[in-house]
Amino acid sequence: IGKLMRDVEPAPIVAKLDAWNGTSRQHTAWLHQIERWRERLLESDDALTELLATHPHADAQHLRTLIRNAHKEKLLNKPPRSYREIFQALREILPED
């Protein structure tokens, strides 16, 4: 195997292994996109409208509840349970490229 691997370009192999391990740049960019959407949803009501326009399969009522609960948790200095749930919901809504 070592003899065969000397003639093989390692970059594509490393890229595929990184993708399988979830450490690829593409996966990281997707996670950052989810973070940006979560912040936008918490800052503006228009962001939810925009998200629902681009992803009509999303559960609007569930997202509204999570956003409202996240605001309440922040005001009452409670653990950010709903804040984390928004991230999980967005992971299901936004496809990974």
Side-chain angles (χ1 to χ4, degrees):
I1 293 176
K3 196 176 195 181
L4 292 172
M5 292 301 293
R6 286 187 207 132
D7 298 331
V8 174
E9 181 63 35
I13 297 170
V14 172
K16 191 63 168 178
L17 288 172
D18 286 345
W20 286 342
N21 292 331
T23 57
S24 69
R25 289 183 182 163
Q26 183 179 13
H27 183 73
T28 304
W30 176 65
L31 292 175
H32 286 292
Q33 177 188 21
I34 293 171
E35 284 288 334
R36 286 190 302 272
W37 267 111
R38 177 171 60 180
E39 294 304 318
R40 287 181 60 200
L41 288 172
L42 292 172
E43 291 173 2
S44 169
D45 293 333
D46 296 334
L48 182 59
T49 305
E50 184 182 337
L51 179 70
L52 294 174
T54 56
H55 301 283
H57 63 279
D59 185 359
Q61 186 61 37
H62 181 64
L63 286 171
R64 282 188 189 100
T65 302
L66 290 175
I67 292 167
R68 185 175 57 248
N69 290 345
H71 286 299
K72 286 180 185 178
E73 290 168 354
K74 188 172 182 176
L75 287 174
L76 299 174
N77 290 326
K78 289 188 173 186
R81 184 173 149 250
S82 294
Y83 183 78
R84 292 182 192 123
E85 287 183 29
I86 293 170
F87 186 86
Q88 296 303 322
L90 288 172
R91 283 184 68 161
E92 294 174 9
I93 295 168
L94 300 172
E96 184 174 5
D97 296 332

